[in-house]
Amino acid sequence: MTTATYNCIDPEQRAEGLAHAQRAIAQKQCVVMPTDTVYGIAADAFSAQAVATLLAAKGRGRSMPPPVLIPRLQTMDGLATEIPTAGRALAEKFWPGPLTLILHAQPSLTWDLGETKGTVALRIPDNELAQALLTITGPLAVSSANRTGHAAAQTAAEAREQLAESVEVYLEEDFRPGAGRGADGSAGLPSTIVDCTGARLRIVRQGALSIEAIRQVAPDVLGLGEEPEDAPGAAATAEASEAGAAPVREGATETGTPTDSAGPAA
């Protein structure tokens, strides 16, 4: 395998890089691409071999399955089922953007993203180059472009320092500061993750998209650690629901705290 980096700010290199990335994805190899948060490592979501290669490149196990990036809203219905009305409304309002939705996966799909418990985490990135790649490859399993335990790459060069020859194509664009900023002015907030698989929508990781913005579309969404006031034993079940309602995703602990740069691509 010959690793190549393309400066996609240059139109000619952009075209060459996208073509090479498309070939690499078809050959079950990994590529690095920018998203609207930081750089991500991507592989064919429908190839168990490709996803295993992605996880090995990061030094990550199957217990933290990667999210799947999709090119358009309509793709959601091909990959997920039992989509709640409020979840669909959130997708229509905030995609493309820093919102990841955990949904029930279509049972007919023959893919293996890891220990997903029958769910899939979907997002449309707000980045034109990422969308161009997704349009020609289809859905991609995408994780932050870094080795586990290290900082997320904000340039393709930083990604290459960590992932080296495990990636065939590096698509370089510009510096990726992360989606939004924290209260302290720090950059690099990941996407907000909303679990749509329970009786109530629940935020399981608070990221760049605020709960206030989400509640303007889905007023009944539960925040981190919240339980319905009328739920029996709500306080006692909060910890259990956080631990078991959905698989732990890239960059989210059971309590929803971002880890390992989490999900810039999620």
Side-chain angles (χ1 to χ4, degrees):
M1 181 180 72
T2 302
T3 296
T5 298
Y6 296 89
N7 177 7
C8 295
I9 296 176
D10 177 86
E12 184 174 344
Q13 287 200 40
R14 182 183 187 277
E16 292 176 0
L18 283 171
H20 191 174
Q22 182 182 26
R23 294 194 302 271
I25 294 295
Q27 295 167 1
K28 301 179 174 54
Q29 303 291 346
C30 293
V31 306
V32 160
M33 66 179 191
T35 74
D36 48 342
T37 52
V38 294
Y39 278 76
I41 177 174
D44 182 0
F46 296 103
S47 168
Q49 175 185 333
V51 173
T53 299
L54 182 156
L55 293 175
K58 283 182 60 73
R60 181 179 295 286
R62 290 171 48 82
S63 62
M64 296 185 74
V68 174
L69 299 191
I70 58 177
R72 60 187 64 87
L73 183 63
Q74 292 79 1
T75 307
M76 177 172 64
D77 290 290
L79 303 182
T81 186
E82 301 175 37
I83 303 169
T85 300
R88 187 178 297 277
L90 288 174
E92 291 173 348
K93 174 68 174 179
F94 296 114
W95 282 355
L99 171 69
T100 298
L101 299 179
I102 299 176
L103 300 161
H104 293 288
Q106 285 282 2
S108 61
L109 293 175
T110 56
W111 59 5
D112 184 3
L113 297 169
E115 298 172 10
T116 65
K117 301 181 183 179
T119 69
V120 62
L122 300 179
R123 187 166 88 85
I124 299 178
D126 189 11
N127 176 272
E128 193 276 333
L129 182 61
Q131 290 183 23
L133 180 61
L134 289 162
T135 297
I136 61 177
T137 63
L140 295 175
V142 180
S143 178
S144 54
N146 59 281
R147 292 286 295 177
T148 296
H150 294 265
Q154 294 180 294
T155 67
E158 289 181 1
R160 188 162 183 166
E161 288 177 1
Q162 297 189 52
L163 302 174
E165 302 296 317
S166 63
V167 170
E168 181 168 348
V169 177
Y170 289 85
L171 300 179
E172 177 79 77
E173 198 174 46
D174 52 7
F175 179 81
R176 299 282 79 203
R181 291 183 177 270
D184 61 355
S186 60
L189 291 179
S191 65
T192 296
I193 300 178
V194 178
D195 181 5
C196 301
T197 63
R200 291 271 298 274
L201 270 61
R202 177 189 299 277
I203 294 175
V204 295
R205 182 181 72 191
Q206 184 62 64
L209 186 62
S210 71
I211 188 171
E212 291 80 13
I214 290 172
R215 282 180 170 161
Q216 288 181 4
V217 178
D220 293 335
V221 70
L222 297 170
L224 287 176
E226 291 183 353
E227 289 294 324
E229 293 182 1
D230 58 350
T237 60
E239 181 178 352
S241 66
E242 285 291 334
V248 177
R249 295 282 171 180
E250 156 105 13
T253 67
E254 287 84 353
T255 57
T257 304
T259 63
D260 188 24
S261 74

